[in-house]
């Protein structure tokens, strides 16, 4: 497939994401999408593996219940063959506490027949947890194990 | 710039990275590189912001002192204009404890005149800390704040 052919779809996906237009976002996702955003699902239940469009939509609803997304800035967007990669800065407020978060997220995706069929997300989850609880996490023993010289 | 022009350099960079050929990796990095891999620098001092090739090289040396990298698999590699994006699975052993880690890392980079001039890395840092200490992190209060319905 020539490069550029999926670019309009990718741009539509991220324009809809930035506009928090979940209906439009989900309309660009394939029914049997393979979706994985790694992170601590005990803390953030909207993370983790989701199979199929309905499960992804439920994830978006879960995010909306917990977080008010106040900013969505695509810092880099690459398209190459059937793949896209986006580096995104998301600002949000934790509804339960009013705490403000700023999170950098990367998304690697594949598109087929005009729809997103695979998503792999990575985010700075340790920082996200610390911002959520509003203070540094205690990491007992890590200093001796990794950071001591 | 036409797409594809930086591709040989990008491929050389990741071939050298996969081969743990730090000398070759650093030869492809610009003197005044702007380098940032987000994560808890108290736990992993090789993370964080590094300005200039010498600081990046010191970071690589720091990694080598703490971790024995046993696997480096590029799962996705995109090139678009002057940018590259890579999704990487790194396997390593923490030298101090013998603990085995598997970490997914994303790297967004820019190249100019055949050299890497900007790096933005994101990794699943919470999971990386938990794997390092070998047990789940205690996250007091997070359940009530974010994950409770």
């Amino acid at each position: 497939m020539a490069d550029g052919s999926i670019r309009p779809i990718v741009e539509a996906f991220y324009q809809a994401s930035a506009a928090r237009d979940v209906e439009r976002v989900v309309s660009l996702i394939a029914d049997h999408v393979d979706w994985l955003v790694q992170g601590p699902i005990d803390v953030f239940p909207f993370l983790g593996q989701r199979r199929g469009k309905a499960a992804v939509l439920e994830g978006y609803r879960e995010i909306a219940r917990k977080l008010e997304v106040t900013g969505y800035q695509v810092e880099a967007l690459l398209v190459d063959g059937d793949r896209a990669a986006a580096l995104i800065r998301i600002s949000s407020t934790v509804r339960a506490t009013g705490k403000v978060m700023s999170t950098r997220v990367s998304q690697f995706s594949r598109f087929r027949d005009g729809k997103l069929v695979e998503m792999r997300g990575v985010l700075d989850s340790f920082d996200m947890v610390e911002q959520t609880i509003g203070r540094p996490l205690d990491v007992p023993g890590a200093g001796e194990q990794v950071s001591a010289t």
Side-chain angles (χ1 to χ4, degrees), chain A:
Chain A
M1 178 163 37
D3 177 63
S5 60
I6 69 164
R7 198 175 297 268
I9 304 290
V10 173
E11 289 178 350
F13 181 82
Y14 282 104
Q15 280 161 12
S17 297
R20 276 82 85 188
D21 183 347
V22 172
E23 199 172 317
R24 173 81 175 131
V25 168
V26 172
S27 77
L28 297 169
I29 295 175
D31 289 346
H32 301 288
V33 64
D34 170 7
W35 183 283
L36 172 63
V37 182
Q38 291 185 243
I41 58 172
D42 295 346
V43 185
F44 304 112
F46 46 83
L47 299 177
Q49 185 142 41
R50 290 174 180 271
R51 293 210 172 268
K53 186 158 79 170
V56 171
L57 177 58
E58 178 51 31
Y60 274 102
R61 288 185 175 142
E62 186 108 27
I63 292 174
R65 282 194 291 268
K66 312 302 187 205
L67 303 177
E68 182 189 358
V69 177
T70 55
Y72 190 105
Q73 188 190 350
V74 179
E75 298 180 330
L77 182 57
L78 290 82
V79 174
D80 190 354
D82 67 343
R83 291 184 183 273
L87 183 64
I88 308 153
R89 167 76 68 181
I90 299 176
S91 306
S92 61
T93 304
V94 180
R95 292 189 190 280
T97 62
K99 287 204 175 75
V100 173
M101 287 208 293
S102 174
T103 312
R104 205 168 233 166
V105 179
S106 69
Q107 294 187 332
F108 286 73
S109 52
R110 300 182 86 161
F111 288 79
R112 196 181 304 138
D113 301 330
K115 298 281 179 82
L116 189 148
V117 293
E118 184 188 289
M119 171 66 82
R120 294 288 176 267
V122 180
L123 40 79
D124 184 5
S125 44
F126 189 89
D127 180 61
M128 196 172 161
V129 171
E130 288 197 329
Q131 289 188 59
T132 300
I133 64 174
R135 59 196 155 76
L137 275 169
D138 182 31
V139 184
E144 296 75 49
Q145 291 178 340
V146 180
S147 61
T149 50

